Amino acid sequence: MNLSMKWLNDYVDVSDMPIKEFCSGLTISGSKVERWETEGEEIDKVVVGKLLSVVPHENSDHLVVCQVDVGKAGSGEPIQIVTGASNVKAGDIVPVAMDGSTLPGGVKIKKGKLRGVESNGMLCSLGELGLTARDFPYAIEDGIFIMQEEEGCPTFELGMDIREAIGLNDISVEFEITSNRPDCLAVLGLARETHATFDRSLKIKAPEFKGIDGDINSMLKVEIHNKTLCPRYIAGVVKNVKIAPSPRWMRERLRASGVRPINNFVDITNYVMLEYGHPMHAFDIRYINGAAINIRNAKNGETITTLDGMERTLTENMLVIADADKPVAVAGVMGGEYSGIMDDTVDVVFEAACFDGASVRTTAKALGMRTDASARFEKGLDPQNAYPALIRAFELVELLGCGEVVKTIIDADYSDKTPKGVKFDPEWINNFLGSDIPEAEMKTYLERLDFKVENGMAYAPSVRIDIECKADIAEEVARLYGYNKIPKTIIRGVAEAQLSPKQKFERSIMNAMTSLGAYEITTYSFISPKYFDKIRLPENSPLRKTVIITNPLGEDTSVMRTTILPSVCEVMARNYNNRNPEVCLFELGNEYIPNGGELPDEPVRLGVGMYGGKRDFYDIKGIIDSMLELVGVEDVEYTSCTDSAVFAEADAFHPGRCAVIKKGDKVLGILGELHPEVLENYGIGVKAYAAKINVTELMAEATAVKVYKPLPKFPATTRDLAIVCDETLPVAELEKAIKKAVGNILESVTLFDVYQGKQIAEGKKSVAYAISMRSHEGTLTDEQADAAVKRVLKELANLGAELRA
């Protein structure tokens, strides 16, 4: 919202207040100022001048030499200026850029010679002053600006600063208005805020007009077919309209507010919208078939050509203003092409209505349109503001002498007029704010904002649609009292804030991974469906069923990820392409698994990736092993996996070089070397390794409390075993059998050799283990150790393994 300070001063006089103080005060009280600018502030030493004579240039057939009287700005003598403009003559009043002057854009004007004749400045066009013919309709675009005095404007004085002479000296303040304060998208709304903030008198009078006799009901019929989406519609008629440019004071205010002047009737509707914050529309009554206005839902497939010349197809959930045959406007958004005011318009229908904000928003978005009107309606407007807005428009019509207003109006009003009351509890407000503001002072602040405080209730004015609870009343008090005056207090709570068990466990994982040398990454949760092909996910994989984003930024971010693995691979690929020689990274993030019509499940996953150096399968296994130990997960098993039925992402890994992590029957994750095709898909030219850990399942298996184990009192007994078995038998199976056979005296079992050669039969391998046993009750005897070894050999025999000869 751009606010003209000249316009504001009509209602609250702040002309003596420095602009910085004004902007700071309103920002602190809740109406945030983004910036302000002074019109024409770059223009310097440009004054009003009068052409005394205009004669041809002696050395040019298109230049003329002018003698210009610049009055008090000169030395008393006329100055000579050479120009190529053809629309100047003696007696014209023109803008004169003196020697050393500055124009918009930083253009500097200095004296010089043109074809040997001295020129001591420049005569200015509209464009050179940063203006257009919309600002001064009597002037031409491509020629010198020949100035004319207009009614109600200052008389030109020779030598007068051009900015003052043509009204190019307003200050425009840009406000960022929050969506819950549509009342501040208006000069009157910001005037009320200024009055309340600085406690300066507010001068707002009710608009009024005289009108002419006539019964509007004989000219027009109005019917609201959807009273939910349109609770109020008011229409009035102006006869014998005279289309002409608006007066300069209106054009100036529209320009300072960022609105282009067009003609008096269009300008009146824009002026009222800016002043009252209520959009209006004017229809040429000739194009309203059947003299009927119907506020109804559009029919599916119905079309309308809007004022911007675009044909738009409507749906049945869109509200339109229609005549007896067709839509003539999209309610709250834009009028149709034949609903506008034209040069030959005679009779006009003015409408001031209130439409449902959500309906306007969805309609504008569906049609790809967003206008000043829709931006206001979609925030929710006060139906009670429609009437004074319409009357103000009629007042301006009579003030500008551009038509005859019929006295009677049609007001189809189905709005709720119940005052919005909220309990006024000064003690609660002070407790809530941590302040000690007297009750009388609170009432003063609220009354400044046009609240009525009576019988323990605070009643908000109808324009304040944001007031709903006691906290809103407290906010009104606080912002006028001054946030900076409220003492600082420490937030009080029932108990000290603590991390949840889930948060603690996830932090322990992050701390563990960081301590192991991995770098944390964060990636987007929305990915491209093509990522599934890059990790070789089977076509029938359930992970291909995704949550689809309805308004994606593009195909690359069109679905929510069901696996974290592609995100990790993407970051590894980016690092490889940026020539980082080695990488070890991790991400703790969510996957999004569809859950029927409900919100998706969002399990937490740990993704790990690494490449470079001399890393191999055992490096990533070692990192995962260490992480599991640090977070309290013990006794996990690693089993080979090439079947996507066991783990959905198994096909992303190299067959024979990947493992599934289990504890009992629970699958905790997968790790291994990425498949060569996956590496090729990502453009990674070296071996790379990855892991995915199911954090939710991992947490269920973690031991939260670590138990202290004292140092052993008795020595350990060791035995080395060399076992011959089938080369396809996993060593993990052998270790599992050894642990089972030795029992609770087992301290550790360590694989120290795997051999295949001439001494070993084909299809066999020799596996050597160091077994350490210890008892906490006494020193183990040789008989106890040997008995444990015999149990081991018997258990291994069940797996087809035997002691190596």
Side-chain angles (χ1 to χ4, degrees):
M1 173 69 188
N2 292 335
L3 174 67
S4 159
M5 292 301 292
K6 286 185 179 179
W7 200 344
L8 176 68
N9 281 315
D10 284 354
Y11 303 108
V12 183
D13 187 3
V14 289
S15 56
D16 61 336
M17 183 181 295
I19 188 63
K20 287 186 178 181
E21 181 182 335
F22 171 80
C23 294
S24 174
L26 278 183
T27 297
I28 291 173
S29 71
S31 303
K32 183 186 175 186
V33 174
E34 286 289 299
R35 65 190 183 99
W36 76 84
E37 63 178 2
T38 303
E39 286 185 314
E41 60 185 339
E42 290 184 294
I43 298 175
D44 183 44
K45 291 187 69 176
V46 180
V47 300
V48 175
K50 181 178 181 180
L51 301 183
L52 301 178
S53 66
V54 179
V55 298
H57 193 292
E58 59 186 11
N59 298 320
S60 172
D61 58 358
H62 69 278
L63 297 176
V64 293
V65 180
C66 305
Q67 300 299 320
V68 187
D69 183 359
V70 292
K72 58 186 178 182
S75 59
E77 296 292 327
I79 64 172
Q80 180 171 285
I81 294 177
V82 179
T83 180
S86 60
N87 68 316
V88 293
K89 64 182 184 304
D92 286 343
I93 304 297
V94 294
V96 181
M98 308 282 286
D99 177 33
S101 61
T102 306
L103 296 177
V107 177
K108 300 285 187 181
I109 303 299
K110 295 187 178 297
K111 65 181 179 180
K113 288 187 176 182
L114 292 177
R115 297 284 182 95
V117 176
E118 186 177 84
S119 181
N120 295 301
M122 184 179 79
L123 307 183
C124 298
S125 66
L126 283 173
E128 286 159 342
L129 296 174
L131 300 169
T132 71
R134 294 285 186 183
D135 301 300
F136 291 91
Y138 62 78
I140 61 175
E141 292 276 8
D142 53 349
I144 300 302
F145 177 22
I146 309 301
M147 300 164 59
Q148 298 177 12
E149 293 187 349
E150 297 184 68
E151 185 179 351
C153 298
T155 301
F156 298 142
E157 296 180 15
L158 299 183
M160 177 189 293
D161 187 296
I162 195 66
R163 296 172 60 236
E164 180 184 353
I166 63 175
L168 191 62
N169 57 353
D170 201 350
I171 297 176
S172 178
V173 181
E174 181 183 342
F175 286 87
E176 179 187 334
I177 305 300
T178 55
S179 58
N180 67 326
R181 290 299 306 274
D183 59 298
C184 287
L185 289 171
V187 176
L188 291 183
L190 291 172
R192 294 186 186 100
E193 289 295 305
T194 303
H195 154 68
T197 301
F198 301 108
D199 195 18
R200 296 204 172 191
S201 59
L202 181 64
K203 299 169 289 185
I204 298 178
K205 71 177 186 67
E208 56 186 23
F209 70 99
K210 296 179 181 178
I212 62 171
D213 292 333
D215 183 7
I216 190 174
N217 293 292
S218 64
M219 309 173 196
L220 192 68
K221 301 295 181 186
V222 172
E223 184 175 358
I224 301 177
H225 297 266
N226 190 331
K227 299 176 179 62
T228 302
L229 299 186
C230 179
R232 191 174 193 183
Y233 191 96
I234 313 177
V237 172
V238 179
K239 304 180 72 175
N240 301 319
V241 304
K242 302 177 183 67
I243 305 301
S246 300
R248 198 181 96 180
W249 62 266
M250 180 175 281
R251 302 196 305 267
E252 286 178 5
R253 293 183 177 187
L254 291 174
R255 181 183 65 230
S257 302
V259 176
R260 183 184 63 175
I262 297 176
N263 61 48
N264 48 12
F265 268 86
V266 175
D267 292 351
I268 284 172
T269 61
N270 287 331
Y271 192 91
V272 173
M273 180 180 70
L274 292 170
E275 189 172 43
Y276 280 76
H278 203 98
M280 299 183 60
H281 193 71
F283 298 97
D284 189 327
I285 202 168
R286 292 176 299 176
Y287 299 108
I288 300 177
N289 293 348
I293 290 181
N294 296 285
I295 300 91
R296 60 170 174 84
N297 287 73
K299 301 170 186 175
N300 271 331
E302 203 167 21
T303 62
I304 182 174
T305 301
T306 46
L307 281 170
D308 57 4
M310 299 284 290
E311 183 177 83
R312 303 181 188 276
T313 302
L314 308 173
T315 61
E316 62 184 4
N317 61 343
M318 298 177 180
L319 194 69
V320 296
I321 313 300
D323 59 20
D325 304 318
K326 65 186 183 306
V328 295
V330 181
V333 183
M334 185 181 286
E337 67 175 332
Y338 294 113
S339 69
I341 305 302
M342 305 175 190
D343 291 340
D344 61 346
T345 296
V346 177
D347 296 333
V348 166
V349 176
F350 267 110
E351 74 161 29
C354 193
F355 305 110
D356 177 72
S359 172
V360 172
R361 168 73 173 170
T362 54
T363 297
K365 187 175 181 181
L367 295 177
M369 307 166 67
R370 196 158 194 268
T371 61
D372 285 338
S374 68
R376 284 169 166 80
F377 275 121
E378 69 188 26
K379 294 173 176 61
L381 295 184
D382 172 26
Q384 309 315 312
N385 197 34
Y387 180 79
L390 181 69
I391 302 307
R392 175 59 167 159
F394 290 160
E395 183 179 56
L396 290 171
V397 167
E398 293 187 339
L399 179 65
L400 272 55
C402 54
E404 299 172 338
V405 182
V406 176
K407 284 183 178 180
T408 57
I409 63 171
I410 296 175
D411 186 358
D413 187 2
Y414 302 94
S415 61
D416 182 7
K417 299 179 179 61
T418 305
K420 293 189 348 183
V422 176
K423 185 178 180 182
F424 176 61
D425 187 343
E427 183 179 354
W428 184 91
I429 291 173
N430 277 324
N431 287 336
F432 182 69
L433 297 177
S435 59
D436 189 20
I437 306 171
E439 179 179 346
E441 194 171 338
M442 291 184 187
K443 287 183 178 180
T444 299
Y445 295 142
L446 293 173
E447 286 167 356
R448 272 197 223 162
L449 292 164
D450 206 21
F451 282 68
K452 291 183 179 178
V453 181
E454 55 188 17
N455 301 323
M457 299 290 288
Y459 295 94
S462 61
V463 293
R464 292 299 303 275
I465 65 169
D466 59 310
I467 304 300
E468 296 180 348
C469 61
K470 289 192 295 184
D472 295 328
I473 300 297
E475 180 186 6
E476 299 302 298
V477 171
R479 68 190 186 92
L480 293 190
Y481 175 72
Y483 291 117
N484 293 335
K485 293 164 64 176
I486 298 175
K488 298 176 182 178
T489 55
I490 298 174
I491 296 176
R492 298 184 296 274
V494 176
E496 184 179 352
Q498 295 181 350
L499 295 176
S500 68
K502 177 176 178 289
Q503 289 172 319
K504 288 180 180 179
F505 186 72
E506 290 176 0
R507 291 196 181 190
S508 69
I509 292 176
M510 290 189 286
N511 290 337
M513 293 303 299
T514 304
S515 68
L516 291 167
Y519 287 86
E520 185 177 7
I521 61 172
T522 301
T523 61
Y524 290 119
S525 298
F526 29 87
I527 63 171
S528 168
K530 295 178 181 178
Y531 282 14
F532 299 135
D533 296 328
K534 295 177 78 170
I535 64 168
R536 302 179 73 246
L537 201 65
E539 290 295 330
N540 61 349
S541 173
L543 295 184
R544 286 185 179 268
K545 296 179 181 179
T546 61
V547 175
I548 299 173
I549 300 172
T550 56
N551 57 339
L553 298 174
E555 185 184 3
D556 289 344
T557 55
S558 60
V559 300
M560 302 300 291
R561 68 185 178 197
T562 53
T563 169
I564 202 172
L565 194 59
S567 301
V568 172
C569 292
E570 284 289 331
V571 178
M572 284 200 292
R574 193 175 302 119
N575 277 271
Y576 181 79
N577 292 330
N578 287 334
R579 300 182 181 180
N580 288 336
E582 54 185 279
V583 155
C584 181
L585 50 84
F586 76 95
E587 178 178 12
L588 201 65
N590 295 92
E591 295 176 345
Y592 300 83
I593 312 301
N595 185 18
E598 303 295 327
L599 292 174
D601 295 329
E602 300 182 23
V604 181
R605 303 297 189 225
L606 171 66
V608 184
M610 60 167 59
Y611 71 78
K614 297 181 179 180
R615 292 189 171 96
D616 59 18
F617 173 88
Y618 295 103
D619 286 296
I620 194 163
K621 180 178 180 294
I623 284 181
I624 299 302
D625 272 337
S626 299
M627 182 274 294
L628 293 176
E629 181 181 353
L630 289 169
V631 300
V633 179
E634 301 175 348
D635 299 327
V636 298
E637 299 177 23
Y638 292 88
T639 60
S640 62
C641 177
T642 57
D643 186 0
S644 60
V646 177
F647 207 97
E649 293 94 329
D651 288 346
F653 294 90
H654 194 299
R657 299 180 190 174
C658 71
V660 169
I661 311 166
K662 292 184 176 181
K663 184 168 183 180
D665 296 332
K666 286 191 177 180
V667 177
L668 302 181
I670 190 170
L671 60 85
E673 180 182 326
L674 290 173
H675 196 284
E677 289 183 12
V678 174
L679 297 176
E680 183 179 352
N681 291 339
Y682 282 99
I684 301 175
V686 296
K687 290 182 178 181
Y689 305 87
K692 172 185 164 178
I693 308 298
N694 300 335
V695 175
T696 304
E697 290 83 347
L698 193 68
M699 181 179 173
E701 299 299 324
T703 303
V705 180
K706 293 187 178 181
V707 179
Y708 167 74
K709 294 181 180 179
L711 292 173
K713 296 180 180 179
F714 305 102
T717 298
T718 60
R719 294 287 190 273
D720 291 346
L721 292 179
I723 307 298
V724 178
C725 63
D726 291 339
E727 64 178 353
T728 59
L729 183 64
V731 294
E733 292 293 323
L734 297 173
E735 291 181 8
K736 187 176 180 181
I738 293 171
K739 290 176 181 179
K740 178 181 178 183
V742 175
N744 58 9
I745 63 172
L746 179 69
E747 185 171 64
S748 65
V749 54
T750 306
L751 174 71
F752 66 86
D753 183 55
V754 177
Y755 174 73
Q756 287 179 284
K758 295 180 180 179
Q759 294 84 1
I760 305 299
E762 188 175 350
K764 300 287 184 177
K765 63 182 175 183
S766 171
V767 183
Y769 286 100
I771 302 173
S772 176
M773 295 171 282
R774 190 193 305 268
S775 171
H776 295 285
E777 297 176 355
T779 302
L780 286 176
T781 63
D782 288 341
E783 290 78 7
Q784 289 175 305
D786 291 341
V789 171
K790 287 179 180 179
R791 293 195 302 272
V792 169
L793 294 175
K794 183 178 179 181
E795 192 70 31
L796 292 175
N798 294 332
L799 299 175
E802 59 184 17
L803 191 65
R804 181 178 172 183

